[in-house]
Amino acid sequence: MNLALTFFGLIRVSSSKKSDDSNFMYRIFLLALTFIIGGFSSVKAQQAASLNGYITDSETGETLISANIGFSEINKGTASNTLGYYSLPNIQPGTYTLFCSYVGYKPYRQQITLEPGENLRLDVELVPESVELDEIVVRSSREEEEQKNIGTVQVDAKLIQELPSVFEADVFRSIQLLPGVKAASDFSSGLYIRGGSPDQTLILLDRTTVYNPSHFFGFFSTFNPDAIKDVRLYKGGYPAEYGGRLGSVLTIYNKDGNRNEMDGTATIGLLASRASIEGPYSKGSWMFSARRSTLEPLLAGLRQATDNVPSQFYFYDVNGKVNFDATQNDKLSLAFYAGQDQVTFPFAEDAEFDLNYGNQTLSGNWTHIFSEKFFSNFVLTGSRYFNFPGFDFAGTKFTRSNNIYDFSLKADLEYLPGNNHTIETGIWSGIFTFKLQDTFDEQDTFGSRIQNQYASFYVQDEWRPNDQWIFTPGVRLNYFSDGDYVRIEPRFSMEYRPGSRVRLQAAYGRYNQFLTLVTNEAFSGFDVWLTSAEGVSPAYGDQFVLGAKTIPFEDYGLDIELYYRTMEDLFELDPFLPDVAGLLYEDLFRVGDGSAYGIEVFFEKRAGDFTGFIGYTLGYTWRRFPGYNAEITEQGQTARFYPPKYDRRHDINLVGNYQFNERWKVTASFNFATGQSYTKVLGRYVQLDLPWTFDDRNTFTVGRVNASRLPSYHRMDVSFSRKGKFFDLGDSELQLQLINVYSRRNVWFYSFDFDENPVERNPVYLLPILPSISYTVNF
């Protein structure tokens, strides 16, 4: 890759913005927010009572997301929101049995009496279920079916740590086992969801956008599993609350910290070691977690035996959170994250490559309860992505400084006017700044700075006319300053429950995307984000989803979803431009379209000594760009659809856990997938005696774009864990893993060596069999 050419002249400095129009949009949002707050004043019924509060873990005080709570006698209930808050308004006075349930916790029941006009504040603490030998945990079908909305998957943080992983437990690697989510290779943790590329997934850490969530050049994600409380993936048809991406949303929430006692955990592994500690203080709780690579001894040994080993290579990340309970109705929190990768690689006798990249995020959150019917959450966020590559050729240096800054303000309001409606609305407004500076031999060669303002407003209503039907209409309004783009996105979902064990669902949504990512599947260290602008329209698309969520047997679940999505005005950097110097910004892109459709099946066993799931995906995804992969007919040249490299028609994942006894547990995963698409080389020819060079030129003759397939991919991983005691200091767990148990040599791609073997192609293989060991102490 010619790095000196990469992105020179890519970014034009934004033209002066139409400040009047931007100010007008902000005024609209402020007026809308004022109207909502004014209109949602506390209006109580004369006689009806209400119940509200937070649902938490009794041992740690952590809030529980999507816990179910309600009254058995009147079949009325709700679920806690992403902050653990619930509200049950308009309850007729009387005595009822309150129930509350959450996966992994003992059911909670309490008899309460509500007086006329009473607003009862009741915070519920759920007790975790202890795992005992020969115990079989039976959970209610209502609890299980409440956990599933269309296109949504909640990933258990404990499962992330238990699954076999290449050296390190990883959030993204675990998500790749779900139906509809595909992995590009063993070396990439990128998320390819329902036919979309990684830039079509919005990734939020404590409501803050993360732009390059990867370590080790994309080998695994930046999210420390010890710091995570909740992971939720919206694969498609996601609600109006979220926007800015064509495909999907991944939300990750860090732990709040133990509110009852101080505890912690430490893990030593082959690739990295990590530690976390948390505890209470007089007005709240805190949490701090850190992780760092431990590769230095291995690299030092390799440098003694072979060349071309990095002289420096490490990565780290830190997470922290502080919570402050100002009053019963006001909670504040401050969360931060910082991660960095550093590598220095002498790739020739007088040449060296250096790379430093990472992310930093900061978010301040204020939760306020206006009344039993009116809940609010305000977030101020800051996110930075930086990338500093450099090359030194015999004392001549090429360097780059690439920075993204994103500062935003979010306000989300939730109003419950009655038993059958839950109205949510909010704004999200911010400033996105891109800076790029290149130098050659210590002289500035290129510099650019782009700044865009963005804003959005959404409103949606969850309407329950009866116990069988749920309708959720919504709309989102987006504004992007460069080009003065205003886009309206209607959203709608519905659910029908013909019985207690069946949910039939449907969803539709329009989505827009104002950003595009220039990246490499095998190496994420040079990621660059580009924006739409005047002359470069944002991409947009529609999604249609149908689903059926069932409980065929007690403690089993069967989910089926069908999806179809379109992608229009896809803009990406034109890879065939010979020289970008002097081009207008809009001339740097090629614009195309695409589609994706498929079916997903998910069957799981949820309780007992043996648990696990089987996920299957049949998926198709297509792209088309003018003048690319063209077909010549009598009518002229027509571009044909082609599958992108990450298209895999069939994808099967099996995951199983077996608890031998109170100490030993085995976890295994198996994956089978259709081979990735690639462009087959049909032959080559050599151009001799070229007038501008003394070298011969090898030229390939290729077939249709991505019309061929690599061999099928399959791999099995196994993990054994043993629980014990670490002296008298705390509990411990030893984890022994074997990756690629039968050493399947899956093909990554084909290469050609013109000197040694100019005729035959050479397969480049993915991971061989790899052992791994880690030791964790909980204190």
Side-chain angles (χ1 to χ4, degrees):
M1 180 175 65
N2 187 354
L3 293 172
L5 176 64
T6 309
F7 314 128
F8 273 130
L10 281 185
I11 314 298
R12 64 169 176 82
V13 178
S14 296
S15 59
S16 61
K17 305 294 185 294
K18 299 180 180 179
S19 59
D20 292 341
D21 292 340
S22 299
N23 291 334
F24 175 71
M25 289 299 299
Y26 284 114
R27 291 193 195 102
I28 289 178
F29 293 136
L30 290 175
L31 286 173
L33 179 61
T34 303
F35 171 77
I36 292 163
I37 293 177
F40 288 171
S41 60
S42 176
V43 180
K44 291 188 177 181
Q46 292 295 322
Q47 296 298 324
S50 62
L51 179 70
N52 65 89
Y54 288 91
I55 303 175
T56 61
D57 183 311
S58 65
E59 293 185 356
T60 65
E62 287 281 350
T63 56
L64 299 178
I65 300 174
S66 295
N68 300 291
I69 189 167
F71 298 108
S72 303
E73 292 85 352
I74 57 176
N75 196 26
K76 177 178 175 56
T78 187
S80 57
N81 61 18
T82 56
L83 294 164
Y85 177 78
Y86 75 93
S87 180
L88 290 164
N90 297 333
I91 307 298
Q92 291 300 314
T95 300
Y96 302 99
T97 300
L98 179 71
F99 74 87
C100 185
S101 61
Y102 192 71
V103 174
Y105 289 78
K106 294 180 180 178
Y108 171 94
R109 291 184 180 274
Q110 178 182 346
Q111 191 174 78
I112 63 172
T113 300
L114 295 174
E115 302 295 336
E118 181 181 10
N119 175 26
L120 178 61
R121 174 66 180 269
L122 179 63
D123 295 333
V124 176
E125 295 183 348
L126 295 184
V127 179
E129 287 178 323
S130 59
V131 178
E132 300 176 357
L133 184 63
D134 298 330
E135 177 188 22
I136 298 178
V137 179
V138 178
R139 303 184 179 97
S140 69
S141 60
R142 177 182 175 86
E143 173 188 355
E144 300 292 354
E145 60 95 16
E146 286 284 356
Q147 296 294 321
K148 296 180 178 295
N149 291 319
I150 191 165
T152 304
V153 180
Q154 186 175 355
V155 183
D156 188 357
K158 184 179 178 182
L159 178 63
I160 295 172
Q161 297 178 340
E162 292 176 346
L163 284 172
S165 56
V166 183
F167 299 124
E168 183 72 5
D170 184 61
V171 175
F172 283 12
R173 294 288 184 182
S174 303
I175 292 174
Q176 287 174 348
L177 296 173
L178 298 174
V181 185
K182 300 181 185 298
S185 70
D186 291 349
F187 304 119
S188 172
S189 62
L191 300 179
Y192 297 82
I193 301 174
R194 290 187 174 177
S197 52
D199 62 347
Q200 293 184 11
T201 297
L202 175 65
I203 298 173
L204 298 172
L205 176 63
D206 286 324
R207 298 178 176 84
T208 306
T209 304
V210 182
Y211 285 94
N212 185 352
S214 68
H215 278 314
F216 207 33
F217 311 126
F219 198 77
F220 59 92
S221 67
T222 59
F223 304 112
N224 187 339
D226 290 341
I228 291 172
K229 174 176 68 173
D230 183 83
V231 179
R232 193 157 305 196
L233 175 64
Y234 301 85
K235 292 189 288 185
Y238 58 86
E241 176 185 357
Y242 302 104
R245 298 296 188 272
L246 284 183
S248 49
V249 178
L250 177 65
T251 63
I252 299 173
Y253 292 92
N254 279 327
K255 292 179 179 178
D256 296 326
N258 195 319
R259 291 176 175 267
N260 298 326
E261 61 182 3
M262 184 179 296
D263 63 14
T265 180
T267 300
I268 299 176
L270 290 180
L271 179 65
S273 297
R274 59 187 192 266
S276 65
I277 189 169
E278 56 187 307
Y281 71 99
S282 59
K283 281 288 188 177
S285 62
W286 55 272
M287 180 277 295
F288 180 81
S289 182
R291 175 174 59 173
R292 193 189 188 281
S293 60
T294 51
L295 288 170
E296 282 84 352
L298 176 61
L299 294 177
L302 290 175
R303 279 194 291 270
Q304 301 296 323
T306 183
D307 297 328
N308 297 326
V309 176
S311 59
Q312 183 185 45
F313 186 22
Y314 69 85
F315 59 84
Y316 73 85
D317 51 54
V318 293
N319 300 72
K321 200 174 203 179
V322 178
N323 301 278
F324 176 66
D325 299 337
T327 69
Q328 187 183 38
N329 293 327
D330 292 277
K331 296 180 181 293
L332 295 92
S333 67
L334 183 67
F336 69 89
Y337 165 81
Q340 180 178 336
D341 283 62
Q342 175 72 55
V343 59
T344 303
F345 180 61
F347 59 92
E349 184 175 345
D350 57 352
E352 186 177 75
F353 163 67
D354 182 81
L355 176 63
N356 176 15
Y357 76 96
N359 294 273
Q360 298 165 349
T361 69
L362 181 68
S363 64
N365 188 88
W366 171 36
T367 299
H368 177 67
I369 302 173
F370 286 97
S371 71
E372 72 277 10
K373 295 184 179 181
F374 188 20
F375 177 87
S376 66
N377 185 66
F378 303 91
V379 188
L380 186 64
T381 75
S383 178
R384 180 196 177 204
Y385 163 63
F386 60 90
N387 181 339
F388 305 134
F391 289 85
D392 188 333
F393 298 94
T396 302
K397 296 182 179 180
F398 163 74
T399 65
R400 161 164 293 159
S401 175
N402 177 17
N403 284 278
I404 287 178
Y405 300 91
D406 188 353
F407 300 96
S408 71
L409 172 65
K410 298 178 65 178
D412 296 292
L413 309 174
E414 184 177 316
Y415 178 56
L416 292 85
N419 293 334
N420 300 329
H421 291 273
T422 300
I423 299 174
E424 297 180 38
T425 186
I427 62 170
W428 187 358
S429 180
I431 299 175
F432 177 92
T433 303
F434 175 91
K435 294 181 179 180
L436 182 67
Q437 183 69 53
D438 288 337
T439 66
F440 183 75
D441 199 17
E442 299 184 355
Q443 299 294 319
D444 293 341
T445 57
F446 179 78
S448 180
R449 180 178 184 272
I450 287 182
Q451 189 172 86
N452 283 293
Q453 291 80 46
Y454 61 89
S456 61
F457 167 77
Y458 77 91
V459 61
Q460 70 179 29
D461 177 21
E462 183 182 283
W463 176 43
R464 299 171 177 256
N466 53 47
D467 293 337
Q468 291 183 310
W469 288 97
I470 303 175
F471 299 95
T472 310
V475 64
R476 187 180 183 92
L477 177 67
N478 297 294
Y479 171 74
F480 196 75
S481 64
D482 200 342
D484 285 332
Y485 293 109
V486 178
R487 295 291 186 266
I488 298 177
E489 301 175 348
R491 312 279 176 85
F492 179 78
S493 67
M494 59 179 291
E495 180 177 302
Y496 174 62
R497 303 182 179 183
S500 61
R501 295 194 175 195
V502 179
R503 302 172 74 181
L504 305 178
Q505 302 167 325
Y508 162 78
R510 164 66 62 93
Y511 304 92
N512 288 270
Q513 183 162 327
F514 301 90
L515 303 174
T516 188
L517 178 64
V518 182
T519 188
N520 187 298
E521 172 200 309
F523 185 85
S524 65
F526 292 101
D527 282 5
V528 172
W529 288 86
L530 305 177
T531 70
S532 60
E534 188 173 352
V536 184
S537 298
Y540 70 94
D542 296 310
Q543 293 192 26
F544 304 86
V545 187
L546 294 175
K549 309 296 176 68
T550 67
I551 301 176
F553 317 105
E554 199 71 47
D555 300 325
Y556 288 83
L558 175 62
D559 305 340
I560 302 174
E561 286 195 0
L562 295 89
Y563 66 90
Y564 173 77
R565 51 179 298 214
T566 63
M567 291 166 273
E568 305 292 339
D569 288 348
L570 293 172
F571 63 99
E572 62 180 42
L573 185 68
D574 192 339
F576 300 105
L577 289 177
D579 187 7
V580 300
L583 293 179
L584 297 174
Y585 183 74
E586 56 264 30
D587 295 333
L588 301 174
F589 298 92
R590 63 177 186 177
V591 180
D593 61 335
S595 64
Y597 49 90
I599 182 172
E600 301 166 6
V601 181
F602 186 74
F603 180 72
E604 71 175 321
K605 185 178 186 296
R606 298 165 173 161
D609 290 334
F610 175 77
T611 59
F613 64 81
I614 301 173
Y616 169 72
T617 306
L618 171 63
Y620 296 80
T621 180
W622 305 97
R623 297 293 185 274
R624 179 176 62 181
F625 291 91
Y628 184 64
N629 194 35
E631 179 182 23
I632 300 177
T633 64
E634 296 180 356
Q635 290 75 28
Q637 190 181 76
T638 304
R640 294 175 295 191
F641 284 99
Y642 67 92
K645 180 175 173 22
Y646 52 85
D647 173 73
R648 281 178 166 170
R649 298 294 161 81
H650 302 277
D651 203 334
I652 303 174
N653 289 291
L654 290 84
V655 174
N657 297 280
Y658 185 73
Q659 189 80 40
F660 287 105
N661 51 47
E662 60 182 355
R663 288 192 173 187
W664 282 98
K665 183 176 184 178
V666 61
T667 302
S669 65
F670 174 79
N671 173 245
F672 175 88
T674 303
Q676 290 184 330
S677 60
Y678 78 102
T679 303
K680 187 176 183 179
V681 175
L682 302 179
R684 71 180 183 96
Y685 59 90
V686 181
Q687 294 176 276
L688 304 174
D689 301 325
L690 296 173
W692 59 84
T693 179
F694 296 103
D695 298 326
D696 298 334
R697 180 176 179 181
N698 290 277
T699 303
F700 285 115
T701 300
V702 300
R704 292 176 56 184
V705 175
N706 288 349
S708 300
R709 293 278 174 178
L710 295 175
S712 296
Y713 175 99
H714 52 90
R715 193 182 92 188
M716 183 176 182
D717 307 329
V718 177
S719 171
F720 293 91
S721 63
R722 183 186 185 276
K723 292 184 178 181
K725 291 287 186 180
F726 183 74
F727 301 101
D728 292 327
L729 299 178
D731 298 326
S732 67
E733 183 174 7
L734 175 67
Q735 194 171 39
L736 307 172
Q737 299 183 351
L738 201 58
I739 307 301
N740 197 0
V741 172
Y742 50 87
S743 196
R744 162 72 175 181
R745 302 314 310 271
N746 292 297
V747 177
W748 190 9
F749 58 85
Y750 294 114
S751 66
F752 291 85
D753 188 336
F754 294 126
D755 296 326
E756 299 294 332
N757 191 355
V759 178
E760 294 185 7
R761 64 187 185 186
N762 304 308
V764 177
Y765 296 108
L766 293 168
L767 291 175
I769 184 172
L770 288 174
S772 180
I773 184 172
S774 65
Y775 187 70
T776 301
V777 177
N778 299 308
F779 54 88

